[in-house]
Amino acid sequence: MGLIDAPTLAEKLRPPRALTELGGSLFAEPAEGSTTAWLAWWSGAREELAEAIARARSAGATRLTAGGPPGNYVESGVDASDADRVAALLAAGFTTRGEHLDLRVDTAVAPRPASEATVARSADDLRALIGPAFGSAWQWEAERALAHHGLFTARSTGGDWLGFAAHSGNLCHRGTFGPIGVLPSARGRGVGVALASAVFADLHARGFAEATVPWVAAETVAFYESMVCLRGRTRRLSMTLALSGRGSP
Ligand SMILES: CC(C)(COP(=O)(O)OP(=O)(O)OC[C@H]1O[C@@H](n2cnc3c(N)ncnc32)[C@H](O)[C@@H]1OP(=O)(O)O)[C@@H](O)C(=O)NCCC(=O)NCCS
């Protein structure tokens, strides 16, 4: 088992082969008042899992998440086909809070402009717009995407902000799409496709012939299928273990 102390863990994981080849990752959310989160990885052996849980408890962590939480992850969740790992987590007291898909997509897509909106690369982190509309995790990912020049914004012809899409907000070395959000009032008019196709085209131009779209809800797969070719999908489980957060004496 290994441990990393870092506030932006996924950004620091280089070379890219690090965790997923070693095994699964466990993200410990810090105790209240502490800014230090940490990440453990384990081969799947139950004793390593027990050790990680014990360390998280003694560090006063409030929760352990298998994979990682939205906004800061190495894997978006536990691969549902890995029955041994899922069984070990359940036996250790983890509960499954939801499931989603990671899509592998072909990035060869022609940009598809929207008739009523303009999509452009953003030079601003958009935090004042993204946070209130879509939450702090996406705001944070957008900030990191901006650092990699991977943030795109959509505005109406009248200049109103309509939404954003990004790549490289997490796991930038792997070609990672997301997040994407269009304001509810602007949905269904091609803005999402215009944003997403610009992001896929930019990934393609950077040499990523394929990209991962993590955290996709089953009902949103059709949105991606409407513009890119799907090469594969992995079902992932969000599994967490609540801890007291008080730390050991
Ligand atoms: C997903 C989202 C970005 C789509 O934006 P949008 O501007 O409404 O999408 P568009 O109008 O460009 O295109 C929608 C197309 O995808 C299809 N589609 C299928 N499932 C869809 C879904 N769950 N949501 C939106 N569109 C969907 C539509 O039918 C449409 O296809 P069509 O042009 O052939 O009719 C927007 O709904 C959103 O912000 N949702 C909340 C955040 C979210 O779920 N993000 C994705 C995380 S993986």
Side-chain angles (χ1 to χ4, degrees):
M1 190 183 77
L3 276 176
I4 295 175
D5 286 319
T8 53
L9 303 160
E11 286 287 289
K12 290 181 186 282
L13 293 170
R14 291 171 189 279
R17 57 178 289 279
L19 291 192
T20 40
E21 286 177 24
L22 286 168
S25 58
L26 295 161
F27 182 95
E29 289 178 34
E32 205 169 329
S34 160
T35 53
T36 306
W38 58 259
L39 184 74
W41 56 94
W42 61 299
S43 66
R46 293 192 181 206
E47 54 276 18
E48 286 187 7
L49 179 58
E51 191 187 338
I53 294 169
R55 285 207 200 184
R57 280 215 165 91
S58 69
T62 53
R63 185 163 40 190
L64 262 181
T65 303
N72 200 11
Y73 56 90
V74 177
E75 310 160 284
S76 68
V78 182
D79 185 339
S81 68
D82 191 343
D84 290 345
R85 198 173 292 267
V86 172
L89 289 162
L90 289 173
F94 280 72
T95 53
T96 304
R97 302 169 70 91
E99 66 174 78
H100 56 268
L101 297 161
D102 281 2
L103 306 179
R104 283 301 291 168
V105 307
D106 186 336
T107 56
V109 54
R112 301 231 320 248
S115 54
E116 303 160 35
T118 308
V119 168
R121 196 185 303 276
S122 181
D124 171 40
D125 64 18
L126 307 174
R127 91 175 64 180
L129 297 168
I130 295 173
F134 300 108
S136 58
W138 284 12
Q139 182 181 326
W140 189 21
E141 287 186 300
E143 269 178 58
R144 289 187 311 217
L146 176 68
H148 297 283
H149 309 287
L151 181 60
F152 290 75
T153 186
R155 291 195 180 270
S156 70
T157 42
D160 294 332
W161 185 68
L162 302 177
F164 79 104
H167 67 70
S168 309
N170 261 287
L171 305 174
C172 57
H173 45 269
R174 283 195 210 149
T176 307
F177 178 95
I180 177 170
V182 173
L183 294 179
S185 57
R187 288 178 194 165
R189 287 187 270 141
V191 178
V193 165
L195 279 163
S197 59
V199 169
F200 287 126
D202 198 49
L203 281 165
H204 195 77
R206 291 182 191 209
F208 293 107
E210 285 193 10
T212 300
V213 186
W215 301 101
V216 181
E219 62 270 20
T220 315
V221 174
F223 168 70
Y224 294 103
E225 278 179 320
S226 74
M227 79 195 96
V228 285
C229 203
L230 259 53
R231 289 279 163 83
R233 63 181 82 194
T234 306
R235 204 176 129 233
R236 294 207 177 262
L237 307 177
S238 298
M239 299 183 74
T240 61
L241 177 68
L243 302 170
S244 75
R246 288 195 299 273
S248 62

